[in-house]
Amino acid sequence: MTSSSTSSSRPATRRSVHGVPTKCWCGKGLLIWASETKENPYRRFYRCEVALQRKSESHLFKWEDEALLDEVRLVDAKVMDLVHDYQALSKIVLDKLDEQKVDCQSKLNQHISEMKQQMLEAKSQMKEEFQANLASYMEATQIRETSPTNNFVAAFAIVGAIACIYWKLV
Ligand SMILES: [Zn+2]
């Protein structure tokens, strides 16, 4: 039955693992060993816990220092992503604030312009009414030349004319 045992074993596919591995791709846990070779004395590495019993199969092996270096690079990349996200977000917020500022300024200018227009219209209307009143008083003065209130109306007309001149100056 050697053929059945060969067929049941997994095909040897080595996969790259980023960062610090937590388990082997076969699903088993990992052990940390120290190398005893001349090339890498005492260098620590991760090894699948069943790798020793299943030497013919491919199980996870990774140097601990390389795994830690990978981890640092991953963290660096995440930090850079966060920095880019923050920059993009702050640009969006600043652009929005600028848009709102311009919008507010434009609305404010429009309100000021409308108020100016209304004030001008009101001023012009008051001026017309005043001139109409003055004209009617002048007319009344001419009609009732012999009226006892003649002097009073004339005085009122003079005061009105002075007020009108003052209004124009202001
Ligand atoms: Zn394994």
Side-chain angles (χ1 to χ4, degrees):
M1 299 297 273
T2 44
S3 61
S4 69
S5 70
T6 317
S7 64
S8 69
S9 65
R10 283 160 182 258
T13 49
R14 182 170 285 274
R15 304 170 199 181
S16 63
V17 178
H18 295 293
V20 173
T22 51
K23 60 181 183 178
C24 178
W25 48 75
C26 73
K28 296 286 182 185
L30 300 172
L31 296 172
I32 297 178
W33 299 83
S35 164
E36 293 170 356
T37 60
K38 267 188 185 177
E39 297 79 23
N40 295 294
Y42 308 112
R43 192 177 178 192
R44 288 155 61 94
F45 61 89
Y46 296 96
R47 192 80 175 112
C48 176
E49 62 188 10
V50 297
L52 274 179
Q53 289 87 51
R54 303 183 196 171
K55 286 184 176 171
S56 62
E57 297 172 11
S58 170
H59 290 273
L60 188 137
F61 170 92
K62 187 163 187 175
W63 295 111
E64 190 187 39
D65 56 301
E66 287 178 357
L68 291 173
L69 204 63
D70 269 5
E71 201 68 26
V72 170
R73 285 188 189 124
L74 285 173
V75 170
D76 277 352
K78 279 179 187 167
V79 168
M80 286 310 291
D81 281 352
L82 283 174
V83 167
H84 287 143
D85 285 353
Y86 168 77
Q87 285 172 341
L89 188 66
S90 59
K91 191 183 178 314
I92 290 169
V93 169
L94 286 175
D95 286 353
K96 281 275 175 202
L97 281 175
D98 277 349
E99 272 175 31
Q100 285 180 356
K101 194 175 154 188
V102 167
D103 193 37
C104 280
Q105 189 68 47
S106 149
K107 280 180 182 166
L108 190 66
N109 286 342
Q110 195 183 340
H111 279 304
I112 289 172
S113 163
E114 282 171 8
M115 278 173 71
K116 272 185 184 170
Q117 187 61 35
Q118 283 170 1
M119 282 171 76
L120 281 173
E121 280 169 14
K123 192 176 169 182
S124 155
Q125 194 181 346
M126 282 172 76
K127 204 168 156 183
E128 277 171 21
E129 281 172 11
F130 183 81
Q131 278 171 346
N133 284 340
L134 185 65
S136 70
Y137 278 125
M138 294 294 274
E139 204 174 303
T141 310
Q142 281 171 359
I143 291 167
R144 303 175 201 159
E145 267 181 6
T146 54
S147 165
T149 55
N150 203 7
N151 291 340
F152 173 75
V153 171
F156 192 86
I158 288 164
V159 169
I162 290 166
C164 183
I165 290 162
Y166 177 75
W167 183 273
K168 278 180 183 170
L169 287 174
V170 170

